[in-house]
Amino acid sequence: MTITRGFTGRARAAGPDRRLPPGQYDAGDAFPVLAAEVTPRPAAADWTFRIDGLVARPRSWSHEEMRELPRAEYHGDIHCVTGWSKFGVRFAGVSVDDLLAQAGPAPEATHAIAYSHTGYTTDLALADLTGGRAWIAFEYDGRPLAPEHGGPARLLVPHLYFWKSAKWIAGLHLLDHDEPGFWERNGYHRRGNPWREERYAGD
């Protein structure tokens, strides 16, 4: 598959709001839905999440087990590579820090592949998944996360473009190197920092 800039559309110019990264616009009340695959509708009872690879204790959690862990919330902004930003969103779930603490990353682990129940993948540095910067989210705005937004649970890494926040998350596979995921293999930037406009390879 070849990616074109037409898929993401032309970024609109940023307005006076300093919360907007360059090239973004305020989506207001809208929460656009974009996906590289058909939206699945998995039941929460069938959902699982696993951390494996370079860890001392590979672990899996069911949806019920995940909901028994300490609750963590994110209140802030999200930014999509297609050009929209959404302010003041509220997600709730579990901190990735708490999950990694149970799995015990190996000293040599530097990156992770996040993979979905659909087969979608994206790569992230562990530094972008730790330090209170990432969550497994199963609620949005006080309600269960809708399937079109990744429910029953999605990865949430809001300081990066939203394609890094993999929908229908199934697990994290820890590595000692960076390994590109779906969009990264098709022309997107390896990191995706909105404030640096890291949209495409070479940006």
Side-chain angles (χ1 to χ4, degrees):
M1 178 177 182
T2 301
I3 186 170
T4 67
R5 291 181 183 256
F7 178 85
T8 61
R10 183 178 296 278
R12 305 183 194 179
D17 195 323
R18 293 188 178 182
R19 294 175 297 175
L20 280 173
Q24 299 290 110
Y25 69 93
D26 180 2
D29 293 334
F31 192 164
V33 176
L34 298 168
E37 55 224 321
V38 175
T39 298
R41 299 189 178 271
D46 297 328
W47 178 86
T48 58
F49 176 80
R50 180 173 176 81
I51 297 181
D52 58 19
L54 294 177
V55 296
R57 299 172 297 278
R59 281 291 315 270
S60 295
W61 295 264
S62 67
H63 191 265
E64 182 178 359
E65 290 169 333
M66 187 76 74
R67 296 299 293 260
E68 292 174 352
L69 297 175
R71 179 184 174 92
E73 297 186 356
Y74 171 74
H75 297 178
D77 308 330
I78 54 176
H79 311 286
C80 182
V81 71
T82 61
W84 58 265
S85 292
K86 190 167 177 62
F87 300 139
V89 299
R90 297 188 302 129
F91 285 93
V94 174
S95 170
V96 170
D97 287 309
D98 288 346
L99 300 172
L100 287 171
Q102 293 193 34
E108 63 269 28
T110 59
H111 290 78
I113 285 286
Y115 58 95
S116 300
H117 284 278
T118 59
Y120 175 84
T121 60
T122 189
D123 59 318
L124 296 120
L126 274 187
D128 284 318
L129 289 169
T130 54
R133 307 180 87 189
W135 296 261
I136 302 300
F138 37 74
E139 290 182 13
Y140 174 73
D141 202 19
R143 299 177 181 176
L145 190 62
E148 59 266 27
H149 292 303
R154 74 177 299 156
L155 179 63
L156 178 66
V157 191
H159 66 283
L160 301 179
Y161 282 126
F162 220 42
W163 92 80
K164 293 290 187 177
S165 296
K167 297 180 179 180
W168 316 295
I169 188 70
L172 295 172
H173 182 73
L174 272 59
L175 303 164
D176 61 0
H177 61 280
D178 190 10
E179 187 173 300
F182 176 80
W183 283 121
E184 295 81 15
R185 293 193 303 271
N186 286 284
Y188 276 26
H189 197 277
R190 297 292 279 269
R191 183 157 187 252
N193 183 332
W195 295 97
R196 297 179 179 174
E197 283 200 276
E198 293 175 343
R199 303 176 191 271
Y200 306 99
D203 284 350

